[in-house]
């Protein structure tokens, strides 16, 4: 019998009061959130920190957070490695497309996507039209180190993770670059990346 990795409660759109000012950035978060009528959608390679950064960003914004990979696992009642093993990658990509389309309609907060989601032309067009795409652009050393901590990414089991991540960055980089916002990230704290995203979104909107 297969089981999803964990249970998820439906995220609320409003989690807590956002602080009005992030002192480190000078960004007036309340004013920024009021102007944001679209979900913030985090994209980028495996290990970039989309989920961890996304949770912190949503908390700072006082908005809900949802992880598309978790939503796919919930819908399939299987983990991602199980979905790949039982049904194949094409099936996973199809589920990814449908789940993200649903999340884009349901959520006005922060959505973390799996690394391949934005590669799909339909998903990419939808995110660019209905959301603000934020590419968390992370160096390969950090991606290799972070992804080595968990054994839950089928694509990285097909060869040398560094080579695979380097190839994926080559292939996907030009597509990720279509995002409205790009933030460089390194091995530093996720909170710093979340703050950098707030600053970058404010720049984008002004
Ligand atoms: C994938 C990334 C994974 C997950 C799946 C495929 C990809 O998500 O969706 O293993 O194609 O890059 P994370 O980027 O959250 O690890």
């Amino acid at each position: 019998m297969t089981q999803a990795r964990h249970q998820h409660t439906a995220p609320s759109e409003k989690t807590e009061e956002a602080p009005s000012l992030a002192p480190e950035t000078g960004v007036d978060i309340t004013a920024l959130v009021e102007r944001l009528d679209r979900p913030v959608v985090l994209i980028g390679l495996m290990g970039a920190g989309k989920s961890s950064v996304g949770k912190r960003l949503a908390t700072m914004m006082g908005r809900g957070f949802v992880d598309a990979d978790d939503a796919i696992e919930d819908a399939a009642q299987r983990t991602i490695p199980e979905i790949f093993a039982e049904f194949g990658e094409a099936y996973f990509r199809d589920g990814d497309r449908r789940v993200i389309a649903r999340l884009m309609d349901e959520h006005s907060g922060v959505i973390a996507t799996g690394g391949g989601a934005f590669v799909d032309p339909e998903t990419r067009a939808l995110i660019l039209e209905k959301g603000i795409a934020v590419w968390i652009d992370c160096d390969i050393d950090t991606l290799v180190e972070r992804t080595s901590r968990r054994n839950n990414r089928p694509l990285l089991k097909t060869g040398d993770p560094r080579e695979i991540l380097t190839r994926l960055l080559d292939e996907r980089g030009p597509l990720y670059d279509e995002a409205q916002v790009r933030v460089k990230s390194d091995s530093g704290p996720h909170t710093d990346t979340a703050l950098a995203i707030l600053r970058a979104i404010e720049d984008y909107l002004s």
Side-chain angles (χ1 to χ4, degrees):
M1 191 176 102
T2 55
Q3 255 191 354
R5 189 174 63 209
H6 41 235
Q7 291 297 317
H8 308 283
T9 49
S12 62
E13 285 304 309
K14 185 114 181 86
T15 52
E16 58 188 67
E17 280 307 300
S20 61
L21 193 78
E24 302 86 340
T25 56
V27 175
D28 182 340
I29 300 181
T30 306
L32 181 64
V33 169
E34 269 167 21
R35 287 162 66 205
L36 256 182
D37 54 354
R38 289 168 280 170
V40 173
V41 185
L42 304 183
I43 66 164
L45 282 181
M46 296 170 270
K50 300 175 296 277
S51 305
S52 310
V53 170
K55 281 179 202 150
R56 284 165 180 76
L57 181 65
T59 301
M60 287 174 186
M61 292 168 60
R63 291 278 180 99
F65 169 77
V66 64
D67 185 306
D69 281 345
D70 288 347
I72 293 163
E73 292 188 328
D74 283 350
Q77 283 299 295
R78 283 165 174 75
T79 63
I80 287 174
E82 285 168 350
I83 298 172
F84 269 71
E86 283 183 49
F87 305 116
E89 183 175 346
Y91 180 93
F92 170 78
R93 300 289 175 205
D94 193 45
D96 202 21
R97 187 182 316 111
R98 281 184 283 116
V99 163
I100 290 176
R102 171 168 62 78
L103 296 178
M104 291 299 296
D105 270 343
E106 289 176 356
H107 290 276
S108 58
V110 179
I111 301 173
T113 64
F118 203 69
V119 174
D120 179 83
E122 241 178 76
T123 302
R124 190 164 67 252
L126 183 72
I127 293 173
L128 290 172
E129 186 203 338
K130 291 193 174 177
I132 296 185
V134 177
W135 175 18
I136 303 182
D137 181 12
C138 195
D139 63 87
I140 292 287
D141 284 345
T142 303
L143 295 176
V144 171
E145 198 280 314
R146 289 211 191 116
T147 53
S148 72
R149 293 181 205 159
R150 285 179 68 185
N151 195 25
N152 61 342
R153 290 171 169 111
L155 290 186
L156 298 183
K157 290 185 190 154
T158 59
D160 174 54
R162 177 177 294 273
E163 273 171 27
I164 294 169
L165 286 163
T166 305
R167 175 176 52 76
L168 289 177
L169 184 59
D170 269 2
E171 289 169 7
R172 296 176 177 179
L175 301 175
Y176 291 156
D177 205 23
E178 291 182 31
Q180 288 98 334
V181 171
R182 173 178 177 175
V183 168
K184 286 267 183 195
S185 164
D186 55 24
S187 56
H190 291 309
T191 304
D192 289 355
T193 307
L195 289 168
I197 290 174
L198 286 173
R199 228 178 350 239
I201 291 177
E202 180 161 76
D203 283 352
Y204 169 70
L205 290 178
S206 56

